[in-house]
Amino acid sequence: MPADYYELLGVSRDVGESELKRAYRQKARENHPDANPGDAGAEARFKEISEAYAVLSDPEARARYDRFGHEGLRGGMGGPAFDFDLSDIFESFFGGNPFGGSRSRRPAGPPRGDDHETVIDLDFAESVFGADRPIDIRAQVRCDDCGGSGAAPGTVPTVCSVCEGVGQVRQVRQSFLGQMVTSAPCPRCRGIGEEIADPCRSCRGEGRRAEQVSLVVRVPPGVEGGATLRLSGRGSVGPRGGPPGDLYVHLRVTESDVFVRQGDSLVAELPVTMLQAALGTTLTFETLDGPRELRVAAGTQPNDMIRLNGLGVPRSNGRGRGDLHVVVRVDIPKKLSKAEAAKLREVAAERGETVVGGPDPEGPSENVNQVDGEAHARNRRKRRSRR
């Protein structure tokens, strides 16, 4: 049977986090392989201690262990199996991997190139339907003379004589636990793993050079202002044949004087006169897809809406487009000619509606302002006669 984790670390079952950590540090120092060279038993105990700490320091794993024991960690009681890496645990405490291996040694190779950013301005229609926009950026491109290797034509890079192509060098230092091994980028090849005896004259051994690059950005339909497009591999190439970076294109969209975007829908206004709204009419409205005939029904009220299906913004999932909502705006004239006013008063009288300056539906009546003026004049004449 596997040893009890609490007994391995010498702690009680209600141990707290800080006490658990102190106990693990002490046990790890005592049983570390560097402190016990050639002792296979110490290395086995060290692995068991690290395993115990990995479980007890994880609240979820500890709860499963307390309830089901070792079977709970293997998934035997319906729970997920517990997975951990002992080298991760040790590195978090002591900064190294006691079990060797190449875990802390990064793979050799030239570094990745830089990313770039640019901005594209779109008009409203381009943001709805998409567009192909040419742009120019200043970026690092592969040197044609050396093919990106950095070595002069006719020569090739050789394996670094310091790191032997690994790209890193190992350093050994003494600690209270014994010898500790750490890794650092090779100072000779800068982590690439290769060195060049005869650099290319055109790029000075970089394998790349800066140029003005022209390309076409395909803006998809339905983008919004503030969105960013990522073009993988369209940034600068890395030195000495390293992979290219990415290009990030930020989009700015000019607002429309006619349309307002609401998600996948467009909203616009249709101005009509009060007579057109009352009697009905057919008007031509210019959509983003071209002119459309709109029928305004008789009796249309202000803010009534006419929907044009499928004339909105293309949906991001590629399933059709949103709708165009045309809101009716009824314009009331601020001034009327005498003839127009008279005709409208006649209409008001026929409908039994009282309007300023119009006849009473029960019979003719004088203008209120005119009646008030005549009464005022009579009062003035009476006051004069009394004098």
Side-chain angles (χ1 to χ4, degrees):
M1 291 291 293
D4 182 84
Y5 287 155
Y6 292 99
E7 293 179 1
L8 278 173
L9 296 176
V11 296
S12 63
R13 303 191 76 84
D14 59 351
V15 64
E17 181 181 352
S18 59
E19 184 181 350
L20 178 68
K21 186 178 295 186
R22 285 197 298 271
Y24 169 67
R25 285 177 181 269
Q26 180 179 349
K27 294 289 185 179
R29 292 189 183 101
E30 293 173 357
N31 295 276
H32 190 273
D34 288 346
N36 301 273
D39 188 348
E43 182 176 340
R45 287 192 300 273
F46 180 84
K47 291 183 178 181
E48 290 180 335
I49 291 167
S50 298
E51 178 182 333
Y53 178 77
V55 172
L56 299 183
S57 62
D58 183 296
E60 183 179 349
R62 181 175 177 176
R64 290 202 303 273
Y65 177 74
D66 290 343
R67 186 175 181 184
F68 304 114
H70 292 278
E71 288 296 323
L73 302 179
R74 291 194 290 269
M77 304 301 292
F82 185 73
D83 187 22
F84 56 89
D85 190 333
L86 300 182
S87 60
D88 277 343
I89 300 170
F90 195 82
E91 284 181 5
S92 67
F93 280 98
F94 306 108
N97 184 352
F99 309 112
S102 59
R103 173 178 173 79
S104 61
R105 303 176 72 186
R106 297 177 300 180
R112 178 177 179 271
D114 294 332
D115 295 332
H116 290 278
E117 295 180 289
T118 189
V119 178
I120 290 181
D121 290 303
L122 303 170
D123 61 38
F124 191 81
E126 287 177 323
S127 72
V128 172
F129 297 116
D132 291 340
R133 297 293 298 273
I135 62 170
D136 294 322
I137 61 170
R138 186 79 175 172
Q140 297 282 349
V141 300
R142 190 184 70 169
C143 175
D144 293 332
D145 293 342
C146 65
S149 68
T155 66
V156 294
T158 58
V159 175
C160 177
S161 57
V162 175
C163 66
E164 298 180 350
V166 175
Q168 292 188 345
V169 292
R170 304 184 71 184
Q171 299 174 343
V172 181
R173 60 185 177 86
Q174 292 293 132
S175 71
F176 63 91
L177 293 175
Q179 289 185 342
M180 301 294 292
V181 180
T182 59
S183 298
C186 175
R188 184 174 183 85
C189 66
R190 295 180 296 175
I192 296 178
E194 296 178 338
E195 56 183 328
I196 299 175
D198 186 10
C200 173
R201 273 66 169 172
S202 300
C203 63
R204 298 179 181 179
E206 277 289 303
R208 59 179 186 169
R209 52 191 177 192
E211 290 184 4
Q212 198 76 6
V213 179
S214 298
L215 52 93
V216 176
V217 176
R218 174 155 293 180
V219 180
V223 297
E224 296 190 67
T228 299
L229 304 179
R230 176 187 175 187
L231 279 64
S232 299
R234 303 308 295 267
S236 287
V237 300
R240 311 260 293 272
D246 299 331
L247 173 62
Y248 293 88
V249 181
H250 306 293
L251 304 178
R252 290 190 303 213
V253 178
T254 304
E255 293 185 359
S256 171
D257 296 332
V258 177
F259 302 97
V260 175
R261 179 171 178 175
Q262 295 180 353
D264 296 332
S265 299
L266 295 177
V267 180
E269 283 190 344
L270 176 67
V272 300
T273 68
M274 62 179 184
L275 295 179
Q276 289 173 326
L279 302 175
T281 186
T282 299
L283 298 174
T284 300
F285 182 80
E286 193 69 32
T287 72
L288 291 176
D289 295 82
R292 292 290 190 276
E293 295 293 325
L294 299 185
R295 180 178 176 273
V296 180
T300 293
Q301 301 298 306
N303 298 323
D304 279 359
M305 185 186 69
I306 302 172
R307 175 184 288 182
L308 299 178
N309 295 329
L311 294 185
V313 180
R315 296 187 175 94
S316 58
N317 59 13
R319 297 181 179 178
R321 296 169 58 182
D323 300 329
L324 169 60
H325 303 276
V326 181
V327 180
V328 176
R329 187 189 74 215
V330 180
D331 291 336
I332 309 297
K334 295 182 178 180
K335 291 184 179 181
L336 295 171
S337 66
K338 292 183 178 180
E340 291 172 335
K343 291 178 180 179
L344 290 178
R345 290 192 186 100
E346 291 177 5
V347 174
E350 292 177 1
R351 294 177 57 85
E353 299 174 359
T354 302
V355 295
V356 175
D360 191 305
E362 300 297 329
S365 63
E366 298 178 282
N367 185 286
V368 176
N369 294 331
Q370 180 180 355
V371 173
D372 291 344
E374 292 179 354
H376 182 67
R378 286 196 297 270
N379 291 335
R380 289 180 59 190
R381 287 195 295 269
K382 289 180 181 179
R383 287 195 296 270
R384 287 175 181 173
S385 62
R386 289 173 184 170
R387 294 175 184 170

